[in-house]
Amino acid sequence: MQETDIQFLENSFKKYYFDHFNKIKVPERTSEREFGYQKFNSGMTRHITISNDKELHLMLMNNIPSDVYCSNGYYTFPNLPMNEKDWKEADLIFDIDAKDLNLSCRNNHTITICTNCKKISNSLSQCTECNSSKLEKKSLPCKNCINASKKEVEKLIDVLTNDLAISQENIQVYFSGNEGFHVYAYDLIFQKLGPRERSDLTDYILFKGIIPETFGIRKFKSDKKSFPNFNEKGWRGRFSTYIFGSKSKRPKILTEIFANGYSFFQKTLDDAAENIGVKIDPNVTVDIHRIFRLPGSINSKSG
């Protein structure tokens, strides 16, 4: 990036943080968090301790970062290296991104930049200038991308409130500034969870790893009475609504399900996960040491 471009961007970012600092979500228990930032044409600076909103504002004005981050984790010593921080707990955060939704519109607003000759093209496999396969993809989300991400957020909130009993008031949704949303679920019970427990939780939300026995389908002696009805809570009810469509179709489809057997129903469950599972990024949620974009801050990839 040219020096004049960097100067223009830094002036614009500084003005934003001077005029609109009230839009920044200053995290609770600020002094227990790790902060980090990245400057234009520069690497990441991490392991920063900030005590309050005034110190945060000062950091933004002095350093003018292109991107600023805050940890989901709470530490005794947030400024020390990771193995010395003394982790206490971490907020439960979910990431929903349009790039993970397999949307057909993506090809219409995705270009590639050849890392070899810098040629910009629509080719997604090979540079049209030098035939290099070393391509960097760039995409700007369209309205369809954002709307699809919003639908996934709605599905996630349904699971969080109805299945996990997290109060709606304790759920905050922030636009990531690029292609999706970060969903924060503030609940003391879930803050104590480690990576393994969070992995189990993401599997549940993704509707991943579901076995036929959950629905009364067994390799031997399946039980029709155990198959879920429309009014059941949780994934059993959601799956029932998805697979039957309406109550009038239930008897016929149920007969077909039991006639097709165990293996066929397992495939049906796997296919259903792609359609009704919430498309969160599991790697984000299980990471208890991750730093997230500070809500309200500017994403340098926007625009």
Side-chain angles (χ1 to χ4, degrees):
M1 190 181 297
Q2 298 293 326
E3 186 63 35
T4 53
D5 295 332
I6 293 176
Q7 188 64 49
F8 169 77
L9 289 170
E10 286 185 340
N11 289 339
S12 300
F13 276 46
K14 187 172 185 177
K15 186 178 189 309
Y16 172 82
Y17 289 125
F18 181 80
D19 294 338
H20 304 291
F21 182 72
N22 62 313
K23 294 185 178 181
I24 303 296
K25 167 66 175 176
V26 181
E28 295 182 2
R29 298 165 61 184
T30 309
S31 62
E32 299 175 62
R33 310 273 193 163
E34 175 198 351
F35 287 81
Y37 65 83
Q38 190 167 5
K39 293 177 67 68
F40 293 100
N41 280 4
S42 182
M44 178 76 74
T45 300
R46 290 190 60 168
H47 311 298
I48 299 171
T49 300
I50 290 177
S51 299
N52 50 50
D53 57 342
K54 292 181 179 179
E55 286 189 12
L56 175 60
H57 198 186
L58 186 63
M59 184 196 77
L60 294 174
M61 297 303 295
N62 286 341
N63 295 285
I64 319 175
S66 61
D67 302 274
V68 58
Y69 305 91
C70 175
S71 68
N72 62 337
Y74 300 88
Y75 305 99
T76 304
F77 309 107
N79 60 317
L80 295 183
M82 194 60 69
N83 61 346
E84 300 176 23
K85 288 182 183 294
D86 186 23
W87 182 85
K88 298 178 180 179
E89 56 194 20
D91 292 330
L92 183 63
I93 304 177
F94 303 92
D95 178 53
I96 292 174
D97 204 303
K99 72 177 187 300
D100 300 323
L101 304 184
N102 299 318
L103 300 172
S104 59
C105 62
R106 298 290 293 179
N107 290 338
N108 298 330
H109 48 75
T110 299
I111 62 168
T112 57
I113 303 173
C114 177
T115 58
N116 185 45
C117 70
K118 307 303 180 183
K119 172 73 174 180
I120 299 175
S121 71
N122 293 322
S123 174
L124 300 179
S125 58
Q126 191 175 48
C127 177
T128 57
E129 185 72 23
C130 68
N131 297 324
S132 173
S133 59
K134 296 180 179 180
L135 305 176
E136 181 183 359
K137 291 184 180 180
K138 295 288 185 180
S139 180
L140 287 176
C142 65
K143 186 176 181 179
N144 182 59
C145 291
I146 301 302
N147 287 338
S149 296
K150 286 181 179 179
K151 289 182 180 179
E152 294 302 314
V153 170
E154 292 172 357
K155 288 163 58 178
L156 174 59
I157 292 176
D158 176 56
V159 174
L160 295 178
T161 55
N162 293 315
D163 296 25
L164 304 181
I166 297 176
S167 172
Q168 180 81 46
E169 291 74 25
N170 291 332
I171 299 173
Q172 297 291 329
V173 181
Y174 300 101
F175 180 52
S176 68
N178 193 29
E179 297 197 56
F181 299 89
H182 290 155
V183 180
Y184 289 63
Y186 297 104
D187 191 293
L188 293 176
I189 295 176
F190 294 101
Q191 283 181 196
K192 297 292 185 181
L193 297 181
R196 180 176 296 180
E197 294 84 2
R198 291 175 190 239
S199 178
D200 291 340
L201 181 60
T202 58
D203 283 350
Y204 179 82
I205 293 171
L206 288 161
F207 196 61
K208 178 183 176 182
I210 306 297
I211 59 175
E213 283 81 357
T214 305
F215 299 87
I217 307 293
R218 301 179 179 86
K219 293 181 178 179
F220 306 100
K221 295 183 179 180
S222 294
D223 182 11
K224 281 189 177 182
K225 293 181 180 179
S226 297
F227 208 88
N229 291 310
F230 279 80
N231 58 354
E232 287 195 37
K233 294 183 179 180
W235 282 116
R236 281 171 55 87
R238 293 187 192 96
F239 176 77
S240 181
T241 301
Y242 166 76
I243 202 71
F244 297 131
S246 65
K247 291 183 179 180
S248 62
K249 296 179 181 178
R250 188 177 189 275
K252 179 182 178 181
I253 295 176
L254 190 59
T255 299
E256 293 175 353
I257 287 173
F258 279 83
N260 288 328
Y262 186 93
S263 297
F264 185 86
F265 187 67
Q266 180 65 71
K267 185 179 184 305
T268 301
L269 288 174
D270 295 339
D271 292 341
E274 288 297 314
N275 291 285
I276 64 175
V278 184
K279 293 180 175 61
I280 58 172
D281 184 339
N283 295 320
V284 171
T285 302
V286 302
D287 191 347
I288 59 174
H289 299 292
R290 198 178 191 91
I291 55 174
F292 288 81
R293 185 171 306 283
L294 191 64
S297 65
I298 302 175
N299 186 326
S300 64
K301 296 178 182 178
S302 296

